[in-house]
């Protein structure tokens, strides 16, 4: 009987882990996040990461997200009203999630992929510290970062269609 209970408990833990990792894998960071969030087989509650967005009106909006969430996840989860942001839902097809980072924060971000670079090249108001929010995952080292939303967005899909 004790063996059955132990097997059931192990299966529940594995399912929870699998579910959490599936969420984080879209960010490509589940290995890192998993290491910091677990101890043995017991998941620990993660500390939230504070993100300060500067919106198009220059207002600072402070929200929190979980390690492993993308900045697009944070915008969606917190229901932030950034017009047109994240139009392709993180499929690297629009560049509307373009964000501008402070120099120090930018250096802490993971490497940019060729696919992200291709989309960034088409973003409105590109800067030296621009990245796509759907490709940036929260880590504790980014806690307190300040991220600026560009004045406008360019939805590449509409440009290709000739509809905008
Ligand atoms: S949401 Fe479209 S490229 Fe990031």
């Amino acid at each position: 009987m004790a063996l059955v209970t132990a097997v059931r408990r192990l299966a529940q833990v594995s399912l929870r882990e699998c579910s959490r990792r599936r969420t984080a894998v879209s960010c490509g960071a589940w290995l890192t996040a998993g290491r910091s969030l677990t101890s043995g087989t017991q998941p620990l509650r993660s500390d939230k990461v504070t993100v300060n967005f500067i919106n198009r009106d220059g207002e600072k909006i402070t929200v929190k997200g979980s390690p492993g969430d993308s900045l697009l996840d944070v915008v969606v989860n917190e229901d932030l009203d950034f017009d047109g942001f994240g139009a392709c839902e993180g499929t690297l097809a629009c560049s509307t999630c373009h964000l501008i980072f402070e120099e120090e924060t930018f250096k802490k971000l993971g490497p940019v992929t060729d696919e992200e670079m291709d989309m960034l090249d088409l973003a409105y108001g590109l800067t030296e510290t621009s990245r796509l929010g759907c490709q940036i995952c929260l880590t504790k080292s980014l806690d307190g970062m300040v991220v600026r939303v560009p004045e406008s967005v360019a939805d590449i899909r509409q440009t290709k269609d000739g509809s905008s």
Side-chain angles (χ1 to χ4, degrees):
M1 192 62 174
L3 180 62
V4 172
T5 304
V7 169
R8 274 196 191 131
R9 205 170 278 156
L10 186 61
Q12 287 170 347
V13 169
S14 295
L15 275 175
R16 271 200 308 264
E17 279 294 293
C18 183
S19 171
R20 189 173 53 74
R21 286 179 180 181
R22 211 175 18 243
T23 302
V25 82
S26 63
C27 246
W30 71 267
L31 280 173
T32 309
R35 257 186 247 120
S36 64
L37 298 176
T38 59
S39 172
T41 56
Q42 294 298 311
L44 301 174
R45 284 195 80 73
S46 63
D47 290 329
K48 294 284 187 175
V49 178
T50 299
V51 182
N52 301 292
F53 287 100
I54 307 295
N55 72 11
R56 293 183 182 123
D57 295 327
E59 296 165 344
K60 185 165 145 184
I61 302 167
T62 301
V63 293
K64 290 182 182 292
S66 299
D69 284 351
S70 72
L71 285 172
L72 174 60
D73 292 333
V74 175
V75 169
V76 170
N77 293 341
E78 295 296 324
D79 202 20
L80 301 182
D81 186 19
F82 301 152
D83 191 36
F85 193 91
C88 78
E89 300 177 349
T91 58
L92 268 178
C94 71
S95 85
T96 61
C97 62
H98 172 209
L99 292 170
I100 300 168
F101 295 81
E102 293 183 320
E103 184 84 32
E104 284 307 304
T105 304
F106 184 78
K107 291 176 185 168
K108 297 180 192 170
L109 305 178
V112 61
T113 63
D114 290 343
E115 291 82 5
E116 181 182 354
M117 191 59 85
D118 288 346
M119 278 296 119
L120 265 175
D121 282 343
L122 304 168
Y124 176 89
L126 188 66
T127 73
E128 291 290 317
T129 58
S130 291
R131 291 289 299 267
L132 294 181
C134 67
Q135 302 302 303
I136 303 301
C137 298
L138 295 184
T139 62
K140 280 305 285 177
S141 71
L142 298 175
D143 191 38
M145 70 175 152
V146 178
V147 188
R148 192 158 54 84
V149 181
E151 290 171 21
S152 186
V153 292
D155 188 341
I156 301 314
R157 299 166 310 159
Q158 292 177 352
T159 305
K160 284 179 181 170
D161 290 350
S163 57
S164 177

